[in-house]
Structures are given as C-alpha cells and as structure tokens.
Amino acid sequence: MFGKLSWSAIPFGVPLAMGASLFMIVGILALLAWITLKGHWRYLWDEWFTSVDHKRIGVMYCVLALVMLLRGFSDAIMMRSQQAVAFHAAGYLPPEHYDQIFSAHGTIMIFFVAMTFVIGLMNFVVPLQLGVRDVAFPTLNSVSLWLNAAAILLVNMSLVIGEFGKAGWLSFPPLSELKYSPGVGIDYYLWALQISGIGTLLTGVNFVTTILKIRAPGMTLMRMPIFCWTALASSLLMVAAFPILTATLAMLLLDRYLGFHFFTDTAGGNSMMYMNLIWAWGHPEVYILILPAFGVFSEVISTFSGKPLFGYRSMVIATMAICILSFLVWLHHFFTMGAGADVNAFFGIMSMIIAVPTGVKIFNWLFTLWGGRVRFEVPLLWALGFMITFAIGGMTGVLLAVPPADFVLHNSLFLVAHFHNVVIGGVLFGAFAGYTYWFPKAFGFRLHEGTGKAAFWCWIIGFYVAFVPLYIVGLEGMTRRMQHYDVAEWHPWLLVALAGAVIILCGIGFQIAQLVISIRNREKLRDLSGDPWDGRTLEWITFSPPPAFNFAVMPNVTGAEAYWGIKQKAIQQRRLTDLPDYKAIEMPRNSPTGFITAFFAVVTGFALIWHIWWMVIIGLIGAFATFVGFAWRDRSEYELSAAELGRIDGARRQARIALVEGREKGITPVEYAEPQGHGSHAPGARAEPHGGHAGPASKRIITGYGFWIFLLSDFILFSGFYAAYAVLGHATAGGPAAAKLFDLKILAIETACLLLSSFACGMASIAANVRNMFWTQISYLITGVLGICFIGLEVSEFARMIAIGAGPARSAFLSAFFALVGLHGLHVTLGLLWLGTMMAQTWAKGFRADIMRRALCFALFWHALDIIWVGIFTNVYLLGTSP
C-alpha cells in the first residue's frame, strides 16, 4: 500500500542525521505553536499565503532563500570541518553521508538560495520600476512561488525520510542510474527539481510578458532601469534553458522508473549526452543568476554615486550579448571528454569572448563611481566587494577556458574555488546588496547599519580566507568531493579554509542580529518619505511599503531615470506635482490556487518517490481539479474607487512635503533641466510625450503574448527530446530499426485526424468570435473526437510494438522514439482534458472575455501540436523508413 516506504526509511541508526532531523522538526513545531498562540493564521492566510501581490510574493521568495541559506551553509560548514579533521583519518562523516551533504549543498545553494533570492528581488522590484500595478499573470506568479516552496519541502523531507542523492548537484549518470543508485535519494533530487523547474519556467514566461507588454506610459525599452533589462535577459534564459533541464531530468526519470536507455551503459545508452544536455542548461543558468545581480549593482552604484549610470546603452548591449553568448560556451565544462582540438578551441574562444561584455560592465560601474558623491552605505559596500571578488573569479574563469589548462585543473578544488568566487562574490553579494537596498521599501524601515557593515566585513574576509586556500590545494592536485586524504601539504590549507567558513558564519550571525535589532528599533529607522536613499527610479515614488496597487495613477515617463526627474523638478519648484485625475481601477483578487497546487505537488512528488501509486493518482486529480476550479471562478478582480485611491494617495503626497521643501535628510538637490526631446539617452527619439509607448497592452494581447512565450518553451522541450532521438536513432542494440516497425498507412490516418482536428479548432474560434454557441460547441466536439481518434491510433501503435518485443526497454533508439512520440501524445491528452473543461465552461457561462482569452490560448496550443507532429512525422517516420 505504501510502496517502498517503511520504518527503515527513517535513519534511526545515524545519530547526526537524526539529530538534524529532530532539530528541524522541533524548530518547525515551535514556529507553528507560536503562530497558533499569537492567532496569526488568519492574517497569514489572507494577506500572505493566498496573496497574488507581486511584492508579497517577492518577500516570501526572499524569506525562503534566507531560510535555505542556513540549511545550505550548515552543509558547507560540515564539509569544511570534515576535511579539516580527515587527514590520515576517517573524520566524523561516513562516506555515504558526506556524499549526500555535498550533493545537497550544491542543489540547495543554486536552486533554492541563489535562484529563489534572485526571483524574489525581481518579483518585488520590476513592476515598481516599470510603473505598473502587478505582473502579467498574478495568480500564475503565486503558483510559481508555491511550486518552489513544494520543492524545498521535498528536499528537506529527504533529511527525515529516506536519503538525498549522492551523485553530486547535477547527478551525472551512470552513477545516478538505478543500477548504481538504487535508493530514493536521486528520486528526491529529480522530482524536487522538476517541480521547482516548472515554477521557474512559469516565472520566466510571466516576466518576459510583463516587461515587454506592461509598462507605464512613456516607459520605452530604452528608458527602463538596467535592473529591468537584466531581469528581462534572465527571464528569456529561463524560458530558453529550463525546458532543456526538464527534458534531461525527464529522460533520467524514464531510465530509472521504466527501464529506458537514454543514459545507461547498456543497450546503446549514452551518458555523455546527459553531460551535453545538462550543461546546455547549466551555463545559461549561471547567467540567469548573475545578470539580475548585475542589475542590482547598477542601481546601487548609480544611487550611491549620485549620478546616472555611465554608458547606459553599452550596459544594455552587454546584457543582451551575455544572454545570447551564454548558449555557446557549455562545452568548457568538459573539455576532457575528448571532443577534439577544434571543438575545444571553439568553445574555449567563446568562453573568453563572453568575458568581454562583463568587463564592459565593470568599467561602466567604475566610471559611474568616478567623480560622484559616493556614500559608503551598506549596499554600496556589497557592490564594491563584488567588483573586486568577481574580477578575480572572472580571471580564473578565463584561465579555465584555455583547454590545456583545464585538462590540468578539471575536477580540482581550483575549479570549486572559481565557481564559488563567481556565485558568492557575484550572485550572493548581489542578493545581499538588493536585500539591504530594497528592505526599507518592502517593510517601511531601514536595516541597522552597524551590524550590516559587520556582516559585510565578515563575509568578504571569510570568503577569501575560505577559498584562496582551495585555489592553492587545487593547484597542488587535490580533487573535489574527497571525504578523506593523506597528503600532508593540503592539511594546513584546509584548516585555514575551515577558519574562513567560521568567519562567514559570524557574518550570517551578524545578519540575523541585524534583522532582530532593526525590527526592535523600527520606529527609529522608519522611512517616512518613501525615498530613504535619494533614489532615481520609480519604486521610490511610492509609499514604504507600497500599497497593493503600487500607483494610484500610473506615472507618465518622459525620460530616463523617471523618478529623479520628477523629484528634482519638484524640489526646484518647492511644490508637489498637480493633483492627478483619479479613476477607479481593478486589482486581482487573492487566490489559494498556488498554495493548493503546491500541496498536491508535494503529495504527488512524495508518492512518486516512494512508488505509492494510489497517492499519485489522488495528487494528479487534485491538481487538475484545482486548475479547473481556478478557471471556473466568476470574480477574479475587485474594484478600488477613485475616492479611495485619492484618500490613500493623499497621505503619500502629504508625506512628500518635507522632501520637496528640502527638509528630508539625505536628499541632494541638483541643477535640473527638462530632457531634450523625450528620448532616454540620445537625441532623435520619438517626439510624443509617451515616447512611442502608450502604456500597458490589453488583456487579450497580454494573454496571447504570454502563451506564445510558453509555446516557445514547449518547442524547446520537444527539441531536447528530438536531440536525444537524433543521437540515439541508430543505437538499436541489435534490435529492430525504424524501417521494420512503422506502418505509414496507419500513420497517415493519424496525421489526417490531427490536421483535421486543427481545422475544426479553427472553425470553433471563428464561431466563438461571432458568438455562435451551437457551431462553437459542434466544432469543439469534432476537434475532441478527432483528437481521441489520434490518441487511440497512437496507443494501438505502441501496443503493437511492445507486443513484438520492441518496447522502450529494448534499445536506446526505441527509448528515444517512445519518449518523443509519447510526449506529443501526452500533450494531446492534456489538450483534450482542457478542451472538455472549456466546452463546459463556455456552455455554462457564455462568451465572457476571460473565457475567450482561454479559447485563444487553447487554439494556439492545439495548432502548435500540429506543427510539432508534422516535424515528428517527417523526421522520425518518413526519414526513418526511407532507404
């Protein structure tokens, strides 16, 4: 009944694991008890857990990241202490436990600290900087958050029930295959990352749509703050790269659960294909993390220099160049695979070239600081520490981009030090800078400065003390993931590295103390003006914290650094801008959809890990029912009246009087002149007051645009499976080849069914647009019947092949075939479920605007399945049977 789950899954015989588990359980129970005793559950549910406000979602992302930082760093301190005492000794961590710790550390720090922190900052800041009220799809944003939280819960459950993976943070096969890792640790890893990956992909779709289609009037692309540009580049990479990760991990899951042969060492499997696929995601992932951090540093350096960012256009070009080049460097992670000198030379050169746009950014930041009124506040300290640390990490990266050098240093602690140089010095310092910089905007009071500076100095000193020794022992030949060693020259350096980790621990302690002290003294640290740093971008024009609607009236942007211009003009004139014309607005209602979806995601993921199949069914049905319930809702928005907006905004304007009269500390008046024309950084821009951008697009355009972005990611998902088929297409392992298996006559009927169903779907769209219920339903019905016929023929084809011994476990070729064609069939099946729901909803509720938007998305989805099938039919079936 409970699959593989039994009492033996709880590590009673491992004192360290049991102690950590009990500590975590007691901590969670204490927190739950405190919330219950204080009576906070209703508040948390109404204001946070069900919130679709981008600001609260951003705060919850950052809270999750900070909590997981403690978990991830505890793994790090255990690794450092183990290596410090494991000279000619076994240490205190047995090998299997040590393997779990370094695997969990990498997974947690990349996916659930760095990614989560970066997405949290993007959520909080981007809509405010764009001058709009929320992201494109608020409820989907909540779903993304809670899917990430579900994945975090699964990872932490592995501490108590079962084990975590032992194959590293990327779980390379064949070690991660069932033959060599029969436990549930790899399954925890795979299902957690699949759930988290879906949430991240939805975030990417949401932010690409938001930035490109929802901006304040006049906020042209070249007037956007640099943080919005870096968020756009990061989101585009999420859309393009995460489907590759999803496809790769799905193939490994098929190997482990159904006996496929994508990456096995038998039946034609190819483990090096995993390396190519995982790093085709993995190196763009580095830039998904670092680009928003670059954006944070750009905002911080400009603000605390009292100057516009030097070389705005070059920063934009450098950002987008990194976005593109990040897909051309993945092979430098495995120069030693034997690809040949030509291939290695190409990727080595590309890895050096990608350092150029990063160098452009460094010089632009230096020139921004040069001649500015520099204020050494805590956010700027993190930025200065980053510039030095990241430059060193970049130089070691260029060294590793030279294939002969990489042959010597590959898999050594030199590589580990380089990676941490980039991720800690770049991503984590950027997250801390953004956390300190925007904390007053989120909570209405500043963080304590003294403890913040102490935390910075502990982190920066601790980092160098911890990781410079790893460069040295790496050059001396020490490889990573060593549980014990017997080389005397390494031992002193590893003791120094442990001391560095302890100093970093002190930095974390100061950050916790900073938060506690700041909360206790929040009235002294209160931000009354909404602009505690003398900011330059639109988030500083609002309350601290901002109201749910952000802006009572969307700002009209007429040039670069929109808020700076408005503020300096008001200070110069010593009066506020004229009272705006308030109009009623609609805001999205809170929704439990994300929370409930996460609950069923945890149920389904846990059940899949332990092979509890009845629970899997319950979880999937629950998730589907949740989305049906979300689609069936009648009221998704509420209205704020013009009078209410005027009352709230009046309080904001009253708080600004001291600022415009020059009585607010830290605000520097300057000589201000209206921008020439309305361009952002150059003459010759559009002359209209809105610069050619009239404001946010309509809901229909936003929905359609967002769904196109989603379909792009789906095409990339299919491309991953097609790439596997192209590699494994001739790996028949002595079994039947394509020419002996495919019946083109049946396949022609299948194809006709799907193409005709697409035609019927088009007719349904035409009928719906003219509000003809009868022909809409008839056309949808024909679409569904033809789709069911297609699925029936595909299932019969699969059954016939399995009956003659040509199932997916027979060879790598058949594994790739069944996976690619089966993925398309799964899409058609989901489309049929969607179609049935939509037909019922249209019949019951008519041609409402929201239903028509969903009908548009369904039509795009169904037609996309036709396009994908034509590609499969041509490349798999026709070319497979050709002589």
Side-chain angles (χ1 to χ4, degrees):
M1 181 177 182
F2 293 103
K4 298 193 294 183
L5 184 61
S6 67
W7 285 108
S8 63
I10 300 176
F12 291 113
V14 185
L16 191 62
M18 283 304 297
S21 302
L22 288 173
F23 178 80
M24 183 177 72
I25 292 170
V26 169
I28 291 172
L29 291 176
L31 177 62
L32 296 178
W34 180 81
I35 293 172
T36 303
L37 290 173
K38 292 291 186 178
H40 290 326
W41 284 113
R42 172 55 63 182
Y43 167 75
L44 288 173
W45 178 259
D46 290 342
E47 300 295 329
W48 291 91
F49 295 166
T50 61
S51 177
V52 297
D53 183 346
H54 71 94
K55 300 178 292 297
R56 298 207 161 177
I57 288 173
V59 169
M60 286 188 280
Y61 266 115
C62 292
V63 169
L64 284 173
L66 290 170
V67 170
M68 292 307 288
L69 175 63
L70 298 178
R71 167 70 204 280
F73 186 78
S74 68
D75 291 334
I77 204 83
M78 283 193 286
M79 286 189 290
R80 292 273 62 83
S81 56
Q82 165 67 20
Q83 289 192 330
V85 301
F87 173 57
H88 280 311
Y92 68 96
L93 291 174
E96 63 277 4
H97 195 176
Y98 184 78
D99 291 350
Q100 289 184 58
I101 286 174
F102 71 65
S103 300
H105 170 72
T107 304
I108 288 168
M109 296 302 282
I110 293 297
F111 290 98
F112 304 123
V113 176
M115 275 292 296
T116 304
F117 220 145
V118 161
I119 291 174
L121 294 176
M122 286 167 53
N123 259 285
F124 185 84
V125 176
V126 167
L128 289 169
Q129 288 196 337
L130 293 177
V132 296
R133 297 189 173 103
D134 213 320
V135 294
F137 309 109
T139 304
L140 199 65
N141 201 22
S142 173
V143 171
S144 299
L145 164 73
W146 287 107
L147 286 177
N148 193 60
I152 287 173
L153 181 57
L154 279 177
V155 168
N156 284 294
M157 287 173 72
S158 70
L159 185 66
V160 184
I161 307 171
E163 62 182 7
F164 196 69
K166 304 173 188 175
W169 76 279
L170 289 178
S171 289
F172 295 136
L175 181 57
S176 55
E177 291 283 358
L178 194 61
K179 179 180 177 181
Y180 303 105
S181 297
V184 297
I186 299 296
D187 299 326
Y188 266 114
Y189 168 89
L190 292 172
W191 288 115
L193 293 199
Q194 289 291 55
I195 292 169
S196 172
I198 293 170
T200 303
L201 174 61
L202 295 179
T203 295
V205 172
N206 213 339
F207 275 89
V208 171
T209 308
T210 300
I211 295 170
L212 294 182
K213 287 297 171 185
I214 307 182
R215 304 191 303 278
M219 180 66 78
T220 61
L221 289 174
M222 294 308 293
R223 291 174 181 173
M224 292 196 309
I226 284 294
F227 183 76
C228 293
W229 273 106
T230 58
L232 174 62
S234 180
S235 300
L236 287 168
L237 289 174
M238 291 179 201
V239 171
F242 265 83
I244 302 173
L245 178 68
T246 301
T248 307
L249 299 184
M251 293 177 207
L252 185 54
L253 282 166
L254 290 171
D255 280 4
R256 291 180 59 85
Y257 278 74
L258 298 177
F260 281 47
H261 293 288
F262 283 103
F263 312 121
T264 60
D265 51 9
T266 58
N270 187 336
S271 59
M272 279 311 303
M273 182 174 70
Y274 183 93
M275 297 289 286
N276 276 280
L277 288 170
I278 202 72
W279 283 117
W281 159 81
H283 207 82
E285 164 68 3
V286 173
Y287 293 101
I288 289 172
L289 300 176
I290 198 65
L291 284 173
F294 287 168
V296 172
F297 295 129
S298 297
E299 303 298 332
V300 166
I301 289 171
S302 175
T303 296
F304 292 104
S305 299
K307 289 173 57 183
L309 186 67
F310 181 89
Y312 173 91
R313 286 183 179 273
S314 64
M315 291 290 267
V316 172
I317 294 168
T319 298
M320 301 315 292
I322 290 171
C323 181
I324 295 168
L325 292 172
S326 66
F327 281 101
L328 300 174
V329 296
W330 82 87
L331 195 129
H332 72 216
H333 291 278
F334 45 95
F335 280 138
T336 55
M337 72 175 279
D342 292 344
V343 174
N344 283 357
F346 172 81
F347 282 95
I349 292 168
M350 295 308 299
S351 300
M352 297 175 195
I353 289 174
I354 202 171
V356 173
T358 306
V360 169
K361 288 175 176 287
I362 294 285
F363 282 109
N364 281 352
W365 291 321
L366 289 172
F367 289 139
T368 303
L369 289 164
W370 180 264
R373 294 179 298 275
V374 179
R375 293 171 287 146
F376 290 97
E377 303 278 1
V378 176
L380 185 64
L381 293 181
W382 288 112
L384 296 175
F386 148 78
M387 291 170 69
I388 297 168
T389 307
F390 192 81
I392 295 171
M395 287 188 287
T396 58
V398 172
L399 174 62
L400 289 167
V402 180
D406 185 78
F407 268 71
V408 177
L409 298 171
H410 183 74
N411 219 31
S412 72
L413 282 184
F414 187 95
L415 176 62
V416 172
H418 157 71
F419 186 71
H420 285 79
N421 220 146
V422 172
V423 173
I424 293 179
V427 181
L428 211 52
F429 282 14
F432 291 154
Y435 162 73
T436 311
Y437 182 59
W438 283 303
F439 188 94
K441 181 55 59 179
F443 296 103
F445 59 94
R446 294 198 208 195
L447 288 168
H448 185 262
E449 185 177 9
T451 47
K453 289 183 176 179
F456 164 75
W457 286 113
C458 285
W459 265 98
I460 193 79
I461 294 169
F463 170 81
Y464 283 102
V465 175
F467 288 98
V468 169
L470 300 192
Y471 279 121
I472 295 170
V473 295
L475 288 169
E476 291 179 347
M478 185 174 182
T479 58
R480 55 185 174 179
R481 301 170 184 151
M482 293 185 70
Q483 186 260 349
H484 64 277
Y485 56 95
D486 56 7
V487 179
E489 290 82 1
W490 299 346
H491 189 221
W493 294 114
L494 293 173
L495 290 174
V496 174
L498 174 61
V502 172
I503 296 171
I504 292 174
L505 179 62
C506 294
I508 294 174
F510 277 119
Q511 287 175 307
I512 295 171
Q514 178 192 38
L515 190 58
V516 172
I517 293 169
S518 302
I519 292 172
R520 286 181 176 177
N521 298 297
R522 58 187 176 276
E523 292 306 321
K524 293 181 181 178
L525 299 168
R526 182 70 63 189
D527 169 25
L528 298 176
S529 70
D531 184 14
W533 307 120
D534 195 12
R536 311 179 76 86
T537 45
L538 284 175
E539 71 268 32
W540 304 111
I541 203 172
T542 65
F543 278 117
S544 292
F549 52 81
N550 293 346
F551 304 94
V553 177
M554 281 191 189
N556 186 32
V557 178
T558 58
E561 297 188 310
Y563 170 56
W564 182 259
I566 293 170
K567 177 171 60 176
Q568 292 302 326
K569 184 178 179 181
I571 291 173
Q572 202 172 73
Q573 298 176 353
R574 299 184 69 82
R575 71 178 186 86
L576 296 171
T577 55
D578 295 334
L579 199 67
D581 180 19
Y582 298 107
K583 296 179 181 178
I585 62 172
E586 290 183 335
M587 292 295 297
R589 289 181 177 274
N590 285 358
S591 170
T593 303
F595 189 89
I596 298 171
T597 301
F599 170 78
F600 286 115
V602 172
V603 169
T604 305
F606 184 80
L608 286 164
I609 289 163
W610 291 100
H611 295 194
I612 309 172
W613 304 118
W614 59 268
M615 192 184 291
V616 172
I617 295 171
I618 290 174
L620 293 174
I621 292 173
F624 179 72
T626 302
F627 281 106
V628 171
F630 166 70
W632 210 268
R633 72 201 190 287
D634 287 319
R635 293 188 301 164
S636 59
E637 296 176 328
Y638 66 94
E639 184 178 278
L640 272 170
S641 67
E644 179 69 6
L645 288 172
R647 182 188 66 79
I648 296 172
D649 196 50
R652 179 193 69 84
R653 291 171 62 85
Q654 189 67 28
R656 291 269 159 168
I657 292 176
L659 187 152
V660 301
E661 291 181 351
R663 293 185 284 111
E664 187 69 30
K665 292 182 180 179
I667 303 298
T668 306
V670 298
E671 290 295 325
Y672 175 75
E674 289 284 354
Q676 296 299 312
H678 296 283
S680 54
H681 295 274
R686 295 286 290 269
E688 297 94 329
H690 51 65
H693 178 72
S698 68
K699 289 182 180 180
R700 182 175 175 84
I701 290 175
I702 292 168
T703 303
Y705 196 90
F707 201 77
W708 270 113
I709 301 296
F710 171 77
L711 287 178
L712 171 64
S713 71
D714 209 30
F715 277 113
I716 296 170
L717 175 70
F718 273 98
S719 298
F721 279 92
Y722 182 75
Y725 181 83
V727 171
L728 303 175
H730 297 289
T732 59
K740 298 180 179 179
L741 294 172
F742 302 150
D743 185 341
L744 290 182
K745 293 180 181 178
I746 299 297
L747 288 165
I749 297 172
E750 274 187 66
T751 304
C753 286
L754 195 61
L755 293 176
L756 288 172
S757 74
S758 188
F759 176 78
C761 181
M763 296 305 295
S765 299
I766 294 172
N769 285 334
V770 297
R771 305 300 191 267
N772 188 315
M773 180 64 72
F774 176 77
W775 283 110
T776 299
Q777 295 290 340
I778 290 295
S779 299
Y780 276 147
L781 182 62
I782 294 171
T783 302
V785 169
L786 290 170
I788 291 170
C789 291
F790 174 84
I791 289 294
L793 290 170
E794 194 167 276
V795 169
S796 67
E797 178 194 21
F798 280 10
R800 177 182 60 80
M801 292 173 65
I802 292 170
I804 63 173
R810 177 64 182 83
S811 67
F813 153 65
L814 287 168
S815 294
F817 166 77
F818 272 87
L820 176 60
V821 178
L823 178 65
H824 182 269
L826 177 63
H827 275 67
V828 174
T829 303
L830 293 174
L832 290 171
L833 292 172
W834 185 3
L835 175 61
T837 304
M838 199 170 58
M839 287 177 68
Q841 192 177 18
T842 306
W843 182 264
K845 299 179 182 294
F847 298 104
R848 270 185 356 203
D850 58 332
I851 296 174
M852 292 297 290
R853 292 196 295 271
R854 291 187 201 118
L856 168 66
C857 293
F858 173 78
L860 293 173
F861 178 76
W862 200 258
H863 298 323
L865 293 184
D866 267 28
I867 295 170
I868 293 167
W869 179 254
V870 169
I872 292 173
F873 180 73
T874 303
N875 293 289
V876 174
Y877 291 107
L878 291 183
L879 293 180
T881 55
S882 62

